[in-house]
Amino acid sequence: MAETEAALRTLAHNVRAARIRAGLSLDELGRRAKVSKGALVALEKAQGNPNFATLVRLADTLGISVSALMEGSPEQRVRVVSADAVTPLWKGERGSEARLMLTTSGPAATEVWRWTLQPGEEYPSHPHQAGVVETVSVTAGRMVLVVDGTEHPVEPGQTAAFDADRAHAYRGSGDEPCHLIMTVHLPPSPA
């Protein structure tokens, strides 16, 4: 419980700081990110439980990564992150999950995600900001990547890359869980 409260306090601080840096009021951030002002007020007070889609919309609107909203100040140059030390940001009804492992620093950050997709389970993603590129590398099982309504099967050992500023989805296929590593390459932050 203390870990969750600490994570909410960090998230609250980071959202407020990013909003102020961007020069946005709560009303304007809410309008642009399609999040109610009440939810933003609660979030900035470290209350509530924002879902994954809300975090993605806020990050996209603020022009930063999801993990930049969630991580504290860097303490080391080398970070080693174990999958079981990272809470899933999305869990499907059939046992699928997505874990944001880390985000690289610098003007053009990259998020590294570890996904498990159960057969037939799908995660639909809204379009990201212009300039975002995603890659998916399947390590076991099979998946179908759907971009603009077109299905692209991705087999073990294959990697797909696409511009993520369009509607897209990830779906497990076959008879066994699909394991994949996804990277989200963010465009350089404005100076």
Side-chain angles (χ1 to χ4, degrees):
M1 188 71 148
E3 252 182 56
T4 301
E5 290 172 6
L8 275 173
R9 283 192 305 273
T10 298
L11 176 62
H13 174 268
N14 292 343
V15 167
R16 185 172 192 281
R19 178 179 63 78
I20 290 169
R21 272 193 314 273
L24 298 174
S25 66
L26 285 167
D27 287 324
E28 185 61 15
L29 176 58
R31 185 186 68 72
R32 291 183 187 185
K34 296 180 177 60
V35 176
S36 74
K37 181 179 178 181
L40 286 174
V41 168
L43 180 60
E44 288 193 6
K45 289 182 177 181
Q47 300 169 347
N49 185 18
N51 66 30
F52 178 51
T54 298
L55 294 177
V56 171
R57 286 195 310 272
L58 286 171
D60 280 351
T61 301
L62 293 166
I64 60 177
S65 67
V66 172
S67 64
L69 290 178
M70 301 180 65
E71 63 186 16
S73 59
E75 297 178 69
Q76 301 175 351
R77 289 196 176 269
V78 176
R79 291 178 287 161
V80 178
V81 181
S82 173
D84 58 356
V86 179
T87 303
L89 291 180
W90 172 74
K91 285 189 172 190
E93 293 179 6
R94 298 181 190 171
S96 297
E97 65 178 30
R99 295 174 188 255
L100 177 57
M101 301 304 295
L102 62 85
T103 301
T104 62
S105 57
T110 299
E111 297 175 349
V112 179
W113 292 79
R114 183 181 300 257
W115 284 73
T116 300
L117 292 170
Q118 296 298 329
E121 191 155 35
E122 180 173 299
Y123 177 81
S125 180
H126 75 284
H128 299 297
Q129 64 182 320
V132 173
V133 174
E134 290 189 14
T135 67
V136 290
S137 298
V138 174
T139 59
R142 295 184 179 131
M143 73 167 290
V144 174
L145 171 65
V146 183
V147 180
D148 279 340
T150 302
E151 295 188 355
H152 305 273
V154 187
E155 303 285 327
Q158 292 183 325
T159 298
F162 63 98
D163 294 332
D165 60 352
R166 56 196 68 198
H168 54 283
Y170 323 101
R171 182 174 56 235
S173 65
D175 298 328
E176 59 188 61
C178 175
H179 298 279
L180 63 103
I181 302 297
M182 177 190 6
T183 59
V184 180
H185 305 271
L186 303 168
S189 302

